[in-house]
Amino acid sequence: MSSNEIAEAEFVNVAGIATTVEEAVRTRHSVRDYESRPIEESVLQDLFQKSLRAPSWKNSQPWKVHVVSGERRDKMASLLVERAKQGEPVPDTIWPASFPASAKKRMFDLGMKIYGVAGIERKDKEARDNFMLRNFEFFGAPTAVFITTEFDLNFYIALDIGCYLNTLMLLARGYGLGSVPQAALSAFPEVVRLELGLSESEKVVCGLSLGYPKENSDLNRYHTPRESTQDIVRFYR
Ligand SMILES: Cc1cc2nc3c(=O)[nH]c(=O)nc-3n(C[C@H](O)[C@H](O)[C@H](O)COP(=O)(O)O)c2cc1C
């Protein structure tokens, strides 16, 4: 599928700075093609300080946030890619294995559309595998973020960390930054722990790539669809 075959409505340009919350929400989407230029140190400090305003169960703040840039980022990428080539994920968390049929369709559609904008034929397994490995190169982003917790892994830890991730991703839009949350970055927690010098008790819950989105990239312009308000939201009076 060429990018021309995808309806214009499914594209949004994520370059530029969001100046309102609404704009941050509307222009936030998963960015999978980044400029290599580093994120300024002052931006990183400001962004991560503000991100800690995220809410959590009884203000428990179960997260530790590891922000990896520069040579450490490059080394982490090559270690993760090597490890991913060797075998299956062994995450600390339980990855979901079954989904309702309606969600399966959305997930299938997502795969098809992403391969389409990436110029990958569905039958080209090698190209699909290589694209999957891009997760571990942070899709070219200059900064990788790993979220860990020493808390028992439970439902509310996942909610708390979800709140943290979304707070971080929306704030990032205010600096013109793009991001993609990645379960993939929790696939090989032993690599992350070893490289960052973390104890066994730090479980890797999720990761995120962060950087300036590459402009004029079909991958970045693709905006995933959503179900209608009518189908999802019910108002009661
Ligand atoms: C918890 C979570 C884990 C995700 N893991 C990955 C991942 O490993 N790799 C990836 O490319 N995208 C990942 N995504 C991004 C989703 O595919 C994306 O959010 C979804 O398709 C909606 O698209 P949008 O973010 O562009 O709006 C993840 C998203 C979430 C919320």
Side-chain angles (χ1 to χ4, degrees):
M1 179 174 14
S2 82
S3 59
N4 291 341
E5 289 166 17
I6 294 168
E8 197 55 33
E10 292 177 319
F11 286 100
V12 78
N13 193 352
V14 289
I17 291 175
T19 55
T20 64
V21 174
E22 188 278 336
E23 201 184 348
V25 171
R26 187 167 43 79
T27 63
R28 194 253 9 119
H29 72 196
S30 293
V31 170
R32 297 186 179 88
D33 202 3
Y34 291 87
E35 301 285 356
S36 57
R37 96 172 140 112
I39 303 171
E40 300 77 355
E41 187 57 32
S42 58
V43 170
L44 283 178
Q45 293 294 334
D46 208 33
L47 169 63
F48 282 93
Q49 186 230 318
K50 287 180 178 152
S51 72
L52 299 180
R53 291 302 312 168
S56 58
W57 172 278
K58 290 191 178 179
N59 202 22
S60 56
Q61 303 174 55
W63 42 69
K64 284 274 163 49
V65 184
H66 309 269
V67 185
V68 186
S69 306
E71 288 172 11
R72 298 292 296 274
R73 171 250 179 248
D74 297 346
K75 186 168 174 216
M76 182 70 89
S78 53
L79 290 170
L80 286 173
V81 168
E82 276 320 299
R83 178 63 186 80
K85 284 179 179 168
Q86 282 164 26
E88 292 302 302
V90 278
D92 294 329
T93 53
I94 298 167
W95 283 5
S98 68
F99 297 90
S102 57
K104 278 188 195 160
K105 183 182 178 318
R106 288 195 288 271
M107 291 159 76
F108 179 81
D109 287 348
L110 173 74
M112 289 299 94
K113 287 285 170 63
I114 297 279
Y115 294 140
V117 288
I120 294 170
E121 290 292 331
R122 179 164 144 57
K123 287 183 189 145
D124 189 346
K125 182 165 180 329
E126 193 183 340
R128 279 192 281 128
D129 288 348
N130 285 336
F131 187 74
M132 191 279 292
L133 286 178
R134 291 287 291 156
N135 270 286
F136 303 107
E137 296 169 327
F138 317 119
F139 297 105
T143 293
V145 182
F146 296 89
I147 318 284
T148 64
T149 188
E150 287 194 291
F151 287 42
D152 285 343
L153 292 174
N154 63 43
F155 181 78
Y156 282 94
I157 296 297
L159 282 187
D160 293 344
I161 289 181
C163 287
Y164 177 77
L165 280 171
N166 212 35
T167 303
L168 178 63
M169 292 189 291
L170 294 179
L171 281 169
R173 294 297 304 122
Y175 301 85
L177 291 167
S179 61
V180 54
Q182 288 166 268
L185 296 184
S186 69
F188 305 109
E190 78 285 5
V191 173
V192 177
R193 275 192 287 271
L194 191 64
E195 181 51 21
L196 300 183
L198 307 179
S199 72
E200 281 297 311
S201 60
E202 290 282 358
K203 285 147 294 201
V204 181
V205 179
C206 199
L208 177 122
S209 298
L210 187 67
Y212 293 101
K214 206 175 255 182
E215 279 194 64
N216 306 318
S217 158
D218 279 349
L219 257 178
N220 286 346
R221 291 172 62 225
Y222 175 57
H223 205 50
T224 48
R226 294 294 187 269
E227 301 298 325
S228 69
T229 317
Q230 204 181 337
D231 286 338
I232 303 293
V233 186
R234 281 190 199 162
F235 297 95
Y236 301 85
R237 290 184 184 87

